[in-house]
Amino acid sequence: MTQTPYGLPLVGVTACRVASGSATAHRVVDKYVDAVVEAADCLPLIIPALGAVVPPEQFLARLDGVLLTGSPSNLDPALYGGGVRPEGDPADPHRDATTLPLIRACVASGVPLLALCRGIQEVNVAMGGSLHGRLHEVPGRHDHRSDKTLDYAGRYRESHAVKLAPGGLLAGLLEGLVDDAGTIAVNSLHGQGIDRLAPGLASEAWADDGTVEAITMPGAKGFLLAVQWHPEWQAAAIEAHRRLFTAFGDACRTHLQSRGSH
């Protein structure tokens, strides 16, 4: 791993709170942790889903970046004016109460932020946007959920193209990998998607059905990129995935050096 004069950047990786026997546990799938180490070249630290127990500023005072992970759970519709949660919709209120204030604190302080799948939805809601609770039921939209008949690896194969915004952050990071139509192929494992984009955010990529697949925040104090797909999958081996984590890792190193110099 590449050391800075101040050591390795420390990246907080958000956890979910899940049932575990008669108790609950904080859980992060290993691919997220591995991606921080192998592709971002940083040191991961799991952020438990504690809600308001620990103010987000307490975490950020010690972190050089935050990775918002994907999850089987969905944000509470009440958080974005989406009405009552549908029966059977998987919930994680502890994660909701942790990540939304954490995102706002990252934006306010300039801590680098990379958000994946549920993470892009959290960024949009945290900043005042809304979601389609069941994207596949929206007229004109495709079914972006994973094919559960496939094995685990099969679900993470590229399944559709997204068109990148010319001149955007994402287009710059993926220069040379975009085809003549301005698209790249991505995996797709999400049931929800952005409806109303939050003020201050900008779309960076779209699926052919109009679904927003990536967002940034122009003028943000620090690095902020959120994508609807899963670049943590084989992050060190797949070039497009590696580039996103490398850019995030570089931003974390810059943040560490800035903190260290003060």
Side-chain angles (χ1 to χ4, degrees), residues 154-225:
R155 297 177 194 178
Y156 286 88
R157 288 200 295 262
E158 296 171 348
S159 63
H160 69 81
V162 297
K163 187 173 182 61
L164 307 189
L169 171 63
L170 193 58
L173 295 179
L174 301 179
E175 185 177 1
L177 303 180
V178 181
D179 64 19
D180 292 341
T183 71
I184 61 165
V186 300
N187 53 41
S188 187
L189 299 91
H190 61 102
Q192 299 196 313
I194 290 175
D195 178 10
R196 185 184 72 256
L197 191 65
L201 299 180
S203 301
E204 286 270 329
W206 305 264
D208 64 3
D209 63 354
T211 298
V212 175
E213 292 276 346
I215 57 175
T216 56
M217 178 178 284
K221 292 181 181 179
F223 178 94
L224 190 154
L225 177 64

Side-chain angles (χ1 to χ4, degrees), residues 142-154:
H142 303 319
D143 190 342
H144 290 258
R145 296 174 296 177
S146 64
D147 184 348
K148 299 298 192 297
T149 66
L150 300 175
D151 62 14
Y152 188 74

Side-chain angles (χ1 to χ4, degrees), residues 97-121:
T98 302
T99 55
L100 300 192
L102 183 65
I103 290 162
R104 291 188 282 263
C106 282
V107 170
S109 61
V111 173
L113 181 65
L114 179 62
L116 315 178
C117 199
R118 190 194 211 263
I120 189 176
Q121 298 158 16

